[in-house]
Amino acid sequence: MGPILPATCEEVIPLEVVKGYSEYIEFMDTGAAVEPLLENRLGPATMAALQGGSQQIYCSWGIPQSDGGVDLGLAAISDQTAADLTSALRDSVYVELDAIGEEVVFDQGPSSEHRYLDTIIIGDGLLVVSTGTLQGNFARDAWDLVTGRTE
């Protein structure tokens, strides 16, 4: 069956959790406004998997009047999509990290070519991606809250 995604960004990551990263962070946007931002930063394989999910939710947080922000996308994906994306990411600039559970975790830090911190988590029919300039465990917190798992 796969995961049932929350209907709102507040259910994905409550604002009090986000405020734990910085008291200045505010909820910024959702849906159609966030999707193109992710598409501009993520590779085509990740974006295709995200957009092809049977359910999707997009959220954005940031510090007003600054370039500090994070965009988050979640999607319910098939096992085949998960396998294909995992294979593609292993052959990309992303670094595979040690996962806490059975999920697969990839990361790409800022560089001279890419100024964003990206995290991608894949497993159990769920894809979670975050990209932005703010420090915080947005992807991991979303994963944990949606799956009901903790470290």
Side-chain angles (χ1 to χ4, degrees):
M1 165 92 190
I4 303 296
L5 298 186
T8 68
C9 294
E10 177 67 19
E11 292 173 283
V12 172
I13 305 178
L15 191 55
E16 60 266 11
V17 172
V18 174
K19 290 281 191 184
Y21 306 141
S22 169
E23 65 182 287
Y24 303 108
I25 298 175
E26 299 292 335
F27 176 74
M28 300 302 265
D29 222 327
T30 187
V34 178
E35 189 176 355
L37 299 173
L38 288 170
E39 191 165 19
N40 198 32
R41 296 180 193 147
L42 298 172
T46 304
M47 207 56 213
L50 193 61
Q51 291 172 326
S54 61
Q55 306 166 59
Q56 304 153 18
I57 187 167
Y58 301 97
C59 306
S60 179
W61 296 269
I63 298 174
Q65 279 85 51
S66 82
D67 64 352
V70 167
D71 301 310
L72 182 80
L74 292 87
I77 61 172
S78 70
D79 290 342
Q80 186 61 54
T81 298
D84 292 346
L85 180 57
T86 298
S87 178
L89 290 171
R90 284 180 174 148
D91 290 332
S92 74
V93 297
Y94 285 89
V95 175
E96 188 170 355
L97 304 177
D98 292 334
I100 294 167
E102 293 183 24
E103 69 273 8
V104 183
V105 181
F106 294 92
D107 189 51
Q108 179 182 202
S111 69
S112 59
E113 295 87 31
H114 181 81
R115 71 182 201 116
Y116 302 100
L117 173 62
D118 301 340
T119 302
I120 301 170
I121 306 175
I122 307 164
D124 293 333
L126 181 62
L127 169 62
V128 178
V129 301
S130 68
T131 181
T133 57
L134 292 175
Q135 295 294 322
N137 295 317
F138 289 86
R140 174 53 63 188
D141 282 341
W143 175 273
D144 291 345
L145 289 163
V146 169
T147 64
R149 297 182 196 166
T150 57
E151 295 184 40

